[in-house]
Amino acid sequence: MGTVTAQIFASLDGVVESPERWHFPYLDDDMLAAVEQHLLGADILLLGGATYDTFATSWPKQPRNTALSERINSMPKVVATSRSGPLEWENSTILGGPLADEVPQLTDTNETVAVVGSIRLVRSLLDSQLLDELHIMIHPIVLNTGVRLFESGSGRMPLTLVSAETFSTGVINARYHPTPVDATVGENH
């Protein structure tokens, strides 16, 4: 059985919206290596519609002289979207049905599925217990406004910290495994 791993950028106060507006001052070689490791180790890239649109307008224009640009452009890309019609970016297809039905099929053949950004998709994968690992790169900035990964009223979601490292820019790269609520330490039933 394969795995589904998501990687997102977040501010210290949990904002994940429009990281292209605030995350680049914190990008260093260590963060780039972590992003590359996530993507180069994947067999399939799973994206939400908005993230796909952003990637599809920028990545095909990147020179194919790096392992990352070559991999992202050539790898199979599956898009969770309600739109119909063909997708322009090479090796891109629309997810054929509900996440609960389609994502297990992506991982049935030991495929490693990487999710980048795609906040609504990550929430849905977490809610459906289809996400195996969540990488959150927590940036040392407070934005005070914007969409957060975990919205108020969305219910409890226990996570188990697998590892954490701090980059020279102060970004914390934290890796979590979702934990079933009944397995939470000290939980009263």
Side-chain angles (χ1 to χ4, degrees):
M1 189 72 161
T3 59
V4 180
T5 303
Q7 185 177 65
I8 59 171
F9 299 147
S11 68
L12 192 58
D13 58 338
V15 174
V16 292
E17 181 179 13
S18 303
E20 69 278 3
R21 295 183 186 158
W22 48 266
H23 117 90
F24 285 109
Y26 302 97
L27 182 62
D28 66 358
D29 290 342
D30 292 332
M31 180 187 288
L32 186 56
V35 169
E36 287 179 344
Q37 181 181 13
H38 180 241
L39 291 169
L40 293 176
D43 301 302
I44 298 170
L45 185 58
L46 176 61
L47 300 169
T51 303
Y52 171 84
D53 290 341
T54 300
F55 277 36
T57 58
S58 62
W59 279 104
K61 297 174 187 171
Q62 299 299 314
R64 295 215 177 183
N65 60 353
T66 68
L68 184 59
S69 64
E70 178 62 35
R71 183 67 186 133
I72 287 176
N73 281 305
S74 65
M75 73 190 308
K77 292 163 280 290
V78 179
V79 185
T81 183
S82 58
R83 78 177 82 163
S84 59
L87 299 172
E88 300 294 321
W89 193 12
E90 68 181 286
N91 298 322
S92 297
T93 58
I94 293 176
L95 197 65
L99 286 176
D101 297 336
E102 298 296 321
V103 171
Q105 289 182 30
L106 294 176
T107 59
D108 271 351
T109 57
N110 289 325
E111 300 288 330
T112 300
V113 177
V115 180
V116 177
S118 307
I119 302 312
R120 286 189 308 169
L121 175 59
V122 170
R123 285 183 193 141
S124 295
L125 291 168
L126 282 165
D127 290 343
S128 302
Q129 299 179 2
L130 295 169
L131 191 66
D132 297 299
E133 194 165 274
L134 176 61
H135 300 200
I136 304 176
M137 292 192 180
I138 305 162
H139 292 59
I141 184 171
V142 175
L143 299 172
N144 287 317
T145 185
V147 175
R148 288 170 168 74
L149 176 59
F150 303 109
E151 295 179 324
S152 178
S154 60
R156 184 176 18 183
M157 185 170 299
L159 302 168
T160 301
L161 182 65
V162 176
S163 68
E165 62 181 321
T166 305
F167 301 142
S168 62
T169 59
V171 172
I172 298 169
N173 184 23
R175 292 176 44 226
Y176 295 94
H177 286 171
T179 307
V181 173
D182 59 349
T184 306
V185 176
E187 185 68 34
N188 293 326
H189 297 282

